[in-house]
Amino acid sequence: MSSRIAVFGAGGRVGRAAVAEAVRRGHTVTAVVRDPARCPDLACPGIKVVRGDATDPGSVAAVTAGHDAAVNASARLDIPSEEYFVAAAQALVAGLGSAGVRRLVAVGIASTLETAPGVRVMDAPDFPEAYRAFSQGHVAEFETLTAAGEELDWVMVVPPMDLDVAGPRTGRYRSAVGTVLDGTGHISHPDLAIALLDEIDTPRHHRIQLAVAD
């Protein structure tokens, strides 16, 4: 069944992959970007490119009105990580609620997954400090979503460290709830997009981190 899906961060690599997979499945996509003039290639059949701000509840509500689900693949490197991801999570909860959109699939980061009960990848003593601050933003995002009411049905899909932009679409991936997966720790952008859209077409996971890898 065709759905209307809004993709925040549609101009980035993961966002573009999500848009492509959604269109491939016959969905109608609203590609939400900060500056549509910088993404002219996104304007294709089945895709409407709009200006929007994932950290502004009013903007979120306006661009998602009439949609069935949203994907958040947005990120900002010019704003402190925790500040950005918390603001985005709060705005998405409020804005999607106002628009009547009930499903959100957010993209997480592998460093927040557990390697043992209560121990995350980012907790390792040798984990680079520069990456720890960015990872903390996703931790705070997850906590913000978890603390929100249950009106929004969300899941955070988390790719492994090796996220392959040039890899093929195999149509296969493995998953685990909240923990790193054994094996190579690799996934291509197209296969990550499959995992994202699977959680929209057939929602199986709710209010958790879902690790995916090939």
Side-chain angles (χ1 to χ4, degrees):
M1 183 177 67
S2 177
S3 298
R4 293 189 66 191
I5 301 170
V7 179
F8 290 87
R13 291 177 175 178
V14 174
R16 286 173 181 272
V19 168
E21 181 62 25
V23 171
R24 181 189 182 100
R25 297 183 183 205
H27 298 310
T28 300
V29 180
T30 298
V32 187
V33 297
R34 282 188 288 158
D35 183 1
R38 297 179 61 183
C39 306
D41 57 305
L42 283 175
C44 300
I47 305 171
K48 179 182 179 181
V49 183
V50 302
R51 185 186 307 275
D53 181 355
T55 65
D56 180 343
S59 176
V60 171
V63 301
T64 62
H67 287 65
D68 300 293
V71 173
N72 183 29
S74 68
R76 291 282 296 269
L77 299 180
D78 59 333
I79 297 175
S81 177
E82 190 164 349
E83 177 183 333
Y84 178 77
F85 286 111
V86 168
Q90 292 173 337
L92 286 163
V93 169
L96 294 177
S98 295
V101 179
R102 298 302 178 214
R103 183 62 168 170
L104 169 66
V105 179
V107 181
I109 189 171
S111 51
T112 65
L113 296 171
E114 291 187 343
T115 55
V119 181
R120 300 166 300 191
V121 173
M122 61 184 284
D123 295 329
D126 59 346
F127 190 80
E129 196 60 37
Y131 297 140
R132 197 187 310 275
F134 187 79
S135 301
Q136 185 57 42
H138 282 284
V139 171
E141 175 190 21
F142 181 73
E143 291 173 345
T144 301
L145 290 172
T146 300
E150 296 188 4
E151 293 80 7
L152 180 65
D153 179 21
W154 60 269
V155 64
M156 182 176 285
V157 176
V158 184
M161 292 289 192
D162 186 1
L163 185 50
D164 186 357
V165 66
R169 183 185 190 276
T170 70
R172 302 184 305 273
Y173 63 90
R174 299 173 295 135
S175 64
V177 175
T179 63
V180 295
L181 286 151
D182 294 334
T184 59
H186 166 277
I187 198 169
S188 68
H189 278 70
D191 283 346
L192 172 59
I194 290 173
L196 295 172
L197 268 295
D198 281 353
E199 285 295 330
I200 288 176
D201 289 347
T202 310
R204 292 190 175 91
H205 300 89
H206 311 275
R207 302 177 67 83
I208 53 97
Q209 282 188 310
L210 181 69
V212 296
D214 64 11

